[in-house]
Amino acid sequence: MISANDFIPSKYTHSVESGFFQWSAPSNIALVKYWGKKDNQIPANPSVSFTLNNCKTITKLAFAKKENQGSFSFDLLFEGQPKEDFKPKIQKFLERIEIYLPFLKDYHFTIDTENTFPHSSGIASSASGMAALAMNLMSLEKALNPEMTDDYFFQKASLLARLGSGSACRSVKGKVVVWGNQKNIPASSDLFGVEFPHAIHENFTNYQDTILLVDKGEKQVSSTVGHDLMHEHPFAERRFAQAHENLDHLITIFENGDLDAFIKIVESEALTLHAMMMTSMPYFILMNPNTLQIINAIWKFRKETKIPVCFTLDAGANVHVLYPENTSEKVLQFIKDELVGYCQNGQYICDRIGNGAVLI
Ligand code: DP6
C-alpha cells in the first residue's frame, strides 16, 4: 500500500532558476459526502464526486530563486489585485506541504488566481483553488525531476491538494473521483483521490449540474468548524458506516444506470449532511426557506413528469440540480419557469461533468 512517506522526494536531478506555470482546476460536487476528518486531513469516511467543467479556478504560479531560504515568500493576487486575506490560508498550506516539496523556501512565488464563477456566489472556491495551486507546484517539481511518472504526478498533486482542502483532492483528474479507503474500490486511498475504476453507464455521460444560487453570502459555518462537529457527534459512527454503504451501492448504480436508485442515494446523502449539522452541538440550519421551496418543487416536478432530476447540497443553502443530458431541455425550462424565483437575483450556473485540471 502507498504511504504518505512515498511522496517525500530524496534528491532532485535538475535545477530551475525562474519561470511560471498556469493550470486550471475545476470544482466538484460530492454525491457521497465527506463530513468529518481525522488529523492530517484524513477523511472519516470515503466520498465520491462528479468533477465539474465550467466552475474553475485558473492560477498562474511564477517562481524565482531567492537568497534567503529561511522562510516562505509569496505574493498573492486575486483577479490581478493583491489579496491579503487569502494569504494566511496559503501560508498554512505551504507549511503543511513543505515536507513533500522541500524546494518551497528556495523560491519567491507570485500566485495569480481567478475564478470563472462569480465571487461570493457561495460556491466554494477552495476545492478548485487548492487543486490549481497543487498542479502548478507539481509542474515545478517535475521540472526539478523530469523522470517523474504521470501516476506519481497526479497522485501527489491530489495529495497536496488534500492538505489544502480535503475536497480539493477530488478536483485533479477524472470525471468521477473517489477519495478514501473503500474495500470494493481497488487503489482507493485516504491520501488522494482516484478516478472511479469501474464501468460507468451511459446514463451518466455528460450529467448536468445546474447550481441555483440561493444564498450568496459568507458561509455560516466554515468547513473546519463543520468537520469538527463530527467529533463527539452522537450519530458519527453510524454516519461514517452509512457513507461506505452508500458508496458501495453507487458502484452498482454507476454500472447499471439505475437513475431511481441514484436519486435515492444522492438526495439522502445531501439531507444526511444537513441532518448531521442539525444534530451536532452547537447545531446549525444551513438551508433557508428557498432551499426547501426548491426541493419541494423538484419532487413535485419529478413525480408529475417522471423525469429523473434530483438535488444535492453542500454545507450551505445553494442547490445543485442534477439530471441526465437527454432531459436538459425540459429541466432547464422547469428551472426557468419555477426555480429561478428562489435564487438570489435570479442567478444560477449551468455546469456538467468535466475531466479535471488542465495545463494552460
Ligand atoms: C460538504 O473540503 O471544504 O462540501 O478539508 O476542511 O477544507 P476542508 O473541508 P472541505 O469540505 C467539503 C465538505 C462538503 C462535502 C464534500 O465536498 O464532500
Side-chain angles (χ1 to χ4, degrees):
M1 217 176 69
I2 301 181
S3 92
N5 288 341
D6 296 330
F7 294 96
I8 300 175
S10 41
K11 207 165 146 269
Y12 293 124
T13 52
H14 287 57
S15 75
V16 181
E17 282 304 309
S18 63
F20 72 88
F21 295 103
Q22 190 172 26
W23 278 86
S24 79
S27 184
N28 68 74
I29 180 65
L31 306 169
V32 171
K33 308 287 179 179
Y34 150 57
W35 199 243
K37 60 177 158 182
K38 308 174 203 170
D39 286 347
N40 294 319
Q41 296 282 101
I42 296 300
N45 64 260
S47 56
V48 63
S49 53
F50 283 156
T51 304
L52 296 183
N53 192 64
N54 302 338
C55 290
K56 289 183 293 203
T57 297
I58 300 161
T59 299
K60 180 173 164 182
L61 180 76
F63 48 91
K65 272 253 171 82
K66 65 179 168 72
E67 290 295 315
N68 168 9
Q69 295 170 355
S71 59
F72 298 116
S73 167
F74 64 97
D75 295 317
L76 188 76
L77 305 176
F78 181 66
E79 294 177 346
Q81 302 298 321
K83 186 90 177 161
E84 291 303 312
D85 32 326
F86 284 4
K87 284 188 91 173
K89 207 171 173 187
I90 304 290
Q91 173 77 26
K92 199 166 158 203
F93 176 54
L94 296 177
E95 286 164 13
R96 273 194 196 159
I97 62 173
E98 188 188 7
I99 167 170
Y100 301 107
L101 299 177
F103 60 80
L104 287 176
K105 285 182 178 157
D106 299 347
Y107 293 93
H108 174 77
F109 294 104
T110 305
I111 305 164
D112 194 344
T113 187
E114 63 188 51
N115 296 329
T116 57
F117 44 91
H119 58 170
S120 64
S121 57
I123 298 185
S125 57
S126 65
S128 53
M130 287 298 175
L133 185 52
M135 300 313 292
N136 280 306
L137 291 169
M138 282 312 294
S139 280
L140 177 50
E141 183 170 59
K142 193 171 165 72
L144 299 170
N145 178 22
E147 281 82 61
M148 181 185 292
T149 64
D150 275 359
D151 272 356
Y152 183 92
F153 180 92
F154 286 107
Q155 280 178 358
K156 184 164 174 179
S158 177
L159 175 140
L160 298 176
R162 180 195 105 237
L163 293 168
S165 177
S167 55
C169 79
R170 299 187 313 240
S171 278
V172 166
K173 188 168 179 269
K175 293 179 158 76
V176 179
V177 179
V178 176
W179 168 40
N181 275 325
Q182 166 84 349
K183 68 175 186 315
N184 292 329
I185 302 188
S188 62
S189 171
D190 284 348
L191 299 175
F192 45 78
V194 299
E195 241 182 297
F196 182 74
H198 302 300
I200 299 181
H201 192 275
E202 63 178 9
N203 280 353
F204 298 102
T205 308
N206 243 340
Y207 222 71
Q208 307 286 304
D209 178 5
T210 299
I211 308 162
L212 306 178
L213 305 179
V214 174
D215 185 356
K216 306 195 294 165
E218 276 284 301
K219 276 209 246 172
Q220 202 192 114
V221 180
S222 75
S223 50
T224 316
V225 172
H227 289 289
D228 258 0
L229 295 173
M230 291 306 281
H231 294 120
E232 320 280 321
H233 193 293
F235 308 134
E237 286 315 310
R238 187 64 197 90
R239 158 60 198 155
F240 300 147
Q242 179 200 42
H244 283 271
E245 292 154 18
N246 283 344
L247 183 48
D248 248 350
H249 286 142
L250 274 184
I251 298 175
T252 317
I253 292 166
F254 281 139
E255 199 173 342
N256 65 20
D258 183 342
L259 292 176
D260 291 335
F262 176 78
I263 288 170
K264 279 189 191 139
I265 301 273
V266 168
E267 291 190 344
S268 165
E269 275 288 321
L271 294 178
T272 300
L273 169 70
H274 282 254
M276 288 300 112
M277 288 180 267
M278 287 194 245
T279 50
S280 55
M281 195 55 80
Y283 40 81
F284 296 95
I285 299 181
L286 301 183
M287 297 188 208
N288 74 21
N290 282 349
T291 312
L292 289 174
Q293 297 282 12
I294 291 168
I295 291 173
N296 279 311
I298 290 174
W299 284 346
K300 183 162 175 274
F301 176 79
R302 188 165 77 216
K303 199 167 169 202
E304 286 169 3
T305 61
K306 306 272 180 287
I307 292 174
V309 53
C310 71
F311 71 87
T312 188
L313 308 165
D314 273 339
N318 293 338
V319 182
H320 290 248
V321 185
L322 301 175
Y323 48 99
E325 189 181 29
N326 64 9
T327 66
S328 286
E329 207 177 315
K330 288 194 174 115
V331 175
L332 274 172
Q333 195 57 51
F334 158 64
I335 289 172
K336 284 181 197 149
D337 292 344
E338 295 188 44
L339 303 185
V340 166
Y342 299 121
C343 300
Q344 246 183 35
N345 309 323
Q347 270 189 296
Y348 61 95
I349 299 173
C350 291
D351 211 333
R352 61 187 160 86
I353 289 192
N355 293 303
V358 176
L359 178 66
I360 300 173

